[in-house]
Amino acid sequence: MPLKDFIPSSPRSRVLILMPVRKDATATVDIFSKNGIISCICNTLAEVCEEIKKGAGTAVLTEEMILLDKEGILQKTLENEPRWSDFPLLVLTPAGSHTSKSIKALEAIGHMTLMQRPVQIIELLSAVRSSLRDRQRQYKVRDYLIERDKQEEALRTSEEKFRQLLDTLPAGAYTCDPDGLITYFNQQAVQMWGRAPKLNDTLDRFCGSFKLFAINGTPLTHDACWMALALKTGKGYIGEEIVVERPNGERLTVLAHANPILDGQGELAGAINILVDISDRKKAEDALKEADKRKDDFLAILAHELRNPLAPISNAMPILQSPEASKETRFKAMDIVVRQVNQMVRLVDDLMDVSRIRGGKIELHKERISLRDVIQNAIETSRPLIEEQKHELTVELPAALVYVNADLLRLSQVISNLLNNAAKYTEPRGHIWLTLEQAGNVGIIRVRDNGIGIPSNMLPRIFDMFTQVDDSLERAQGGIGIGLMLVKNLIEMHGGSVEVNSEGGGKGSQFTLRLPVAADVREEVKEEADANENKSISQTPSLRILLVEDYEVLAQMTTWALEIEGHEVRVAHDGPQAFKMVKDYIPDVVLMDIGLPGMSGYEICELMRKEPALRDTIFIAQTGWGQEEHRQRSKAAGFHHHMVKPIDTQALQGLLYPRKESFEAMPDVARALSA
Ligand code: ADP
């Protein structure tokens, strides 16, 4: 078959034929064809070479054709064949013997079988088949090599992808060979270790960290790390904690995920370890544990502080109930009850403030006020505690008034908290200093004491909730560790700041408050014109008070407390009774509960305010609710004042009389304030 007509069904198995005489070539093709061998005739050696390049099983050609190839194109073609190829040539040589030199020259060209003419057909067919088989084997090798190359390429690509993946992983990653020598690490691992280990180096076997520790702090050798274990046991270790130390001594808590890598035969090829830095999470967990512990401690202290006042109250109750007890004894018992209840009320108020602050529910009623007034208020509140401890209080105020835009009660609460602490954490007969000065646009209030002081390690946390320097119950000082947290929050809500200084053990403490002063300090305090809100009655030694209260015990106690103050008290248990009483008893003050049977306190007040005889009477609501909406509701009903139960008789006194009176009870302070 001429080459141009040849459509190779399988070019790899065709036989190329090159003979000087065309007839011989055609006859050979016929013979091959009859024996199932595909062949094609080439006209020149160059053509043979071209076809070899395209792919062929073998070539049958005469010796002369080779010897005539002076340029050696056949040899070159065969030499340029790929490594797997050893193209078999069947060379028909003339009859007669060959010199060994000519045989060598022929064999130097390539892999060839010489067949002396005349050739037996059967021998030729056998030789051709043998060459074709040989060639098929070569092609198989070629296919295998191609497949292997492909696989290697695929492996290289997948390894490359794998590395890229590891490089971009938001975690440290490194691999080791079966001996534990590091073969790869990413930059995140370097950051974690604080150093780049050497690759394939025995010094950095198993791990690139400077030092290693177990989670309990025990030092670990590198051959005990999770990577080493994965290589040793062939098992995976997932999410195991370990502590790595950087060369600078910094320690990180890390989750290791060490997994052996197996090759295609299931043999250990190394291991990979993925490291996740969980130091921040650990710190947060520790902080949570600490907060949880502080909360537990707080609950214990709170329970203790709430139970403390109950014993004196329980002791006082039988005296109050005894008809034989003298009036003086009852007054004393009553005084104990009132003090203890006040203490509990303060605790509960603080607790409620905490929840309000946390829920962002504290509303400041800011107005232009003088810090002197604030200080005066605070001293009034803290006076009992300071006096009880027999402390000396020195107050230094500047001649000029310092005005701020602030909530009088809240700011007083802040200073009073600091004064109370100074009183609590100073041995009896100590000294407390309270000073005010103005520096530029800042009002500075300092509360200093010569008490037990605060250790320096506690200073940074002293304003945190539930923090107490000595939280043992035996040393509890009537506090629950939230006062300073309230101070900080309240002062910051006023745009100010608080700072603490103490040199520790027995050297006293100083708290400094800074507040922006109000814009125009020369302007006088604007007097609140609201006659109702500020209505106070003239100073009389005794007031006629109508107490409307359905709870018998409370009515009795309040009556006693007011009687101790020298007032005359009548009690009505509901609306109709109250109306009956005012027909012939015109009170100076009506102290009214809101939740009454039948008519509510609001309704009674609304109606009573319409009575001309009661036009000079002060109406005070006493309720369990102190939120703004309840105050508004009282105001709308006509109440002049709103007090939260249990009534603080001192605060009630403050409402009934001008402040001056209670202020004068502390002559030193009064002098300092009016200086
Ligand atoms: P507490 O109810 O315990 O008084 P605070 O929040 O007011 O709560 O104060 C927190 C802790 O700060 C106190 O328990 C005490 O250990 C310490 N502290 C506060 N003020 C002083 C002070 N003036 N002198 C010494 N320690 C103080």
Side-chain angles (χ1 to χ4, degrees), residues 421 424-425 449 453-454 462 467-469 479-484 509:
N421 277 353
K424 282 194 294 183
Y425 302 109
D449 61 61
I454 301 168
I462 206 75
T467 297
Q468 294 192 304
V469 174
I480 47 177
I482 56 181
L484 288 182
S509 315

Side-chain angles (χ1 to χ4, degrees), residues 301 305 347 350 417-426 447-455 458 461-471 475-487 500-502 508-511:
I301 287 170
E305 289 304 322
L347 278 182
D350 276 1
N417 263 349
L418 296 180
L419 283 174
N420 286 352
N421 277 353
K424 282 194 294 183
Y425 302 109
T426 300
V447 178
R448 184 159 68 88
D449 61 61
N450 62 348
I452 60 171
I454 301 168
M458 291 301 288
R461 308 200 271 125
I462 206 75
F463 296 102
D464 290 356
M465 182 131 109
F466 310 145
T467 297
Q468 294 192 304
V469 174
D470 184 350
D471 53 8
R475 294 294 310 273
Q477 294 280 347
I480 47 177
I482 56 181
L484 288 182
M485 177 259 188
L486 290 175
V487 164
V500 59
N501 294 95
S502 174
S509 315
Q510 174 170 287
F511 288 83

Side-chain angles (χ1 to χ4, degrees), residues 6 98 150 206 236 264 267 313 437 487 501 506 516 540 616 635 646:
F6 179 75
H98 279 80
K150 261 197 217 158
F206 301 123
E267 295 294 321
I313 292 177
E437 63 172 288
V487 164
N501 294 95
T540 48
D616 289 331
K635 198 172 175 180

